[in-house]
Amino acid sequence: RQQIFTEAELLKYDGSNPNLPIYLAVDGDVFDVTQGRGWYGWGGSYNHFAGRDAARAYVTGCFKEHLTHDLRGLTPAQIKGVDHWKRFYANHHKYFKVGTVVHPEIDPSTPIPPPCKQSVGQKP
């Protein structure tokens, strides 16, 4: 059974509580990555993705400024990159989809997230 999360509910699964699973979302799809606790748990290299939908950061490499689901202004290639990461988690042998996260609508008058000063290189 798939769950529907608010952003606040998803945040509870950020890896800070060792008694809860670790969830992350990519473009609305929520995945259980608990088996990757070393990566996604508290202090892990990818903990910044846990408990949120940071779809933009997956393709920009901006792990501070772009921890958002806001995909406005991305190139078609970057949008394909977001789809790649959704498939990565959906087809992973240790991770699995548990539901979706519902985001508040993005106000079109808010600025598109600006490029970050220092991005982290993408894995091949």
Side-chain angles (χ1 to χ4, degrees):
R1 182 173 97 74
Q2 299 287 297
Q3 294 177 260
I4 298 174
F5 298 87
T6 65
E7 290 179 346
E9 290 168 337
L10 184 58
L11 192 56
K12 296 174 192 172
Y13 302 95
D14 68 354
S16 60
N17 183 338
N19 299 313
L20 291 177
I22 302 171
Y23 296 161
L24 59 75
V26 180
D27 195 26
D29 289 346
V30 178
F31 300 95
D32 184 322
V33 295
T34 306
Q35 289 193 47
R37 189 174 291 278
W39 295 105
Y40 297 100
W42 209 244
S45 301
Y46 299 125
N47 177 249
H48 48 268
F49 289 126
R52 68 177 80 218
D53 187 339
R56 185 180 200 90
Y58 278 92
V59 296
T60 65
C62 301
F63 298 146
K64 288 191 172 95
E65 299 90 338
H66 288 178
L67 294 175
T68 177
H69 67 284
D70 187 347
L71 302 180
R72 295 176 304 149
L74 294 181
T75 66
Q78 287 173 314
I79 297 295
K80 277 186 174 182
V82 171
D83 291 337
H84 159 80
W85 284 108
K86 283 177 81 165
R87 285 191 311 275
F88 170 82
Y89 288 106
N91 297 320
H92 198 279
H93 67 284
K94 290 185 179 180
Y95 310 144
F96 53 94
K97 186 176 175 185
V98 293
T100 56
V101 59
V102 178
H103 299 291
E105 199 167 320
I106 296 170
D107 181 341
S109 68
T110 60
I112 292 171
C116 64
K117 291 179 174 57
Q118 187 169 6
S119 64
V120 177
Q122 296 287 311
K123 286 185 174 183

